[in-house]
Amino acid sequence: MKDLILEVKNITKEVNSPEGALTIVQDVNLSIAEGELVSLVGPSGSGKTTLLAIMAGLDLPSQGSVTLLGAEITSLDEDKRAQIRGQDVGFVFQSFHLMPKLSALDNVMLPLEISGSDDAQSKAKEALIKVGLEKRVQHFPTQLSGGEKQRVAIARAMVNKPKILFADEPTGNLDKKRSSAITDLLFSVNEQMQTTLVLVTHDLVLAEKCEKGYELSEGRLQ
């Protein structure tokens, strides 16, 4: 049996709205073991991104607990949650989240510099080579295509060799051809590094590439 890397217990998330309390995620339970590839699918508005944010410690639930990498992150303050994320967690988002005034190389170097890693520049270059961007190292985000931006984002997410990678609609802003290439790249890099992958997507073809799948509907796991 592999050790659990993520355990979600009785998670509910409520927010205030003009109509009163709105439940976005309701009584969710799931467990993910080290090295698993897990998809979370569901229509827009089903609560997928909110659940991912809670699992990764970017947001807190209204009730319930999340244990990530052995730490119950729902009982930690933001600084301690950020420390865990910085050391062992990677993120890939639909909208890339690159720093516009930094080159591809500098964007990938960011998490290395934050964590105080030695030889950040050479590690970042190596990561960009892995994703096929050795000729785009000094290009800025405005000089890159959507697919190239997502490659930079994947390189940045994986450069610290995280134990778990959260990907939120990683192909959502790409056309079919680029989407397929990024999908292949994401799973290839993940396999090389033996990282646990939690993938939020509405793309069933992409979801089927994972070993385990969950469906979220109106905030509940089906």
Side-chain angles (χ1 to χ4, degrees):
M1 285 285 292
K2 291 184 178 179
D3 292 336
L4 289 183
I5 196 167
L6 177 66
E7 189 171 22
V8 174
K9 290 183 178 179
N10 307 117
I11 286 296
T12 293
K13 178 69 174 182
E14 292 182 346
V15 296
N16 293 322
S17 75
E19 291 77 34
L22 179 65
T23 302
I24 301 176
V25 176
Q26 188 163 358
D27 200 28
V28 169
N29 293 274
L30 62 86
S31 299
I32 297 173
E34 286 183 352
E36 281 189 324
L37 308 179
V38 178
S39 66
L40 183 63
V41 301
S44 296
S46 61
K48 302 187 304 295
T49 294
T50 298
L51 179 56
L52 180 139
I54 292 170
M55 290 192 295
L58 295 169
D59 194 8
L60 288 172
S62 303
Q63 61 188 54
S65 67
V66 176
T67 302
L68 176 65
L69 297 157
E72 190 184 322
I73 57 173
T74 35
S75 65
L76 302 178
D77 62 25
E78 170 54 25
D79 286 345
K80 288 180 180 174
R81 296 199 310 274
Q83 185 178 10
I84 291 170
R85 291 196 303 268
Q87 290 171 342
D88 294 312
V89 180
F91 296 94
V92 179
F93 298 100
Q94 177 177 351
S95 53
F96 318 129
H97 287 229
L98 300 180
M99 302 294 285
K101 295 185 178 180
L102 296 183
S103 67
L105 180 64
D106 288 335
N107 264 285
V108 178
M109 284 173 63
L110 265 181
L112 293 167
E113 291 175 332
I114 290 169
S115 66
S117 175
D118 294 331
D119 211 6
Q121 188 175 76
S122 66
K123 288 177 181 176
K125 278 184 179 177
E126 183 183 342
L128 285 166
I129 290 169
K130 272 186 181 174
V131 300
L133 288 181
E134 57 271 19
K135 295 181 180 179
R136 296 283 189 272
V137 170
Q138 296 301 334
H139 285 57
F140 291 89
T142 54
Q143 299 169 310
L144 301 172
S145 69
E148 288 170 338
K149 289 176 188 175
Q150 197 59 299
R151 286 173 183 265
V152 175
I154 291 171
R156 181 185 59 190
M158 302 300 281
V159 73
N160 258 342
K161 298 182 179 176
K163 293 177 181 174
I164 186 167
L165 175 66
F166 293 95
D168 188 4
E169 298 284 8
T171 60
N173 277 340
L174 305 176
D175 60 36
K176 190 172 181 180
K177 182 178 179 182
R178 288 192 178 98
S179 175
S180 178
I182 289 298
T183 297
D184 291 345
L185 175 66
L186 183 62
F187 281 93
S188 172
V189 172
N190 198 72
E191 185 179 4
Q192 288 174 37
M193 296 194 173
Q194 296 293 297
T195 303
T196 306
L197 174 64
V198 181
L199 173 68
V200 165
T201 183
H202 64 272
D203 184 343
L204 296 180
V205 175
L206 181 54
E208 285 172 1
K209 292 179 177 287
C210 294
E211 301 163 333
K212 184 189 288 186
Y214 295 96
E215 182 179 357
L216 202 65
S217 177
E218 297 181 350
R220 289 181 176 272
L221 279 189
Q222 302 300 301

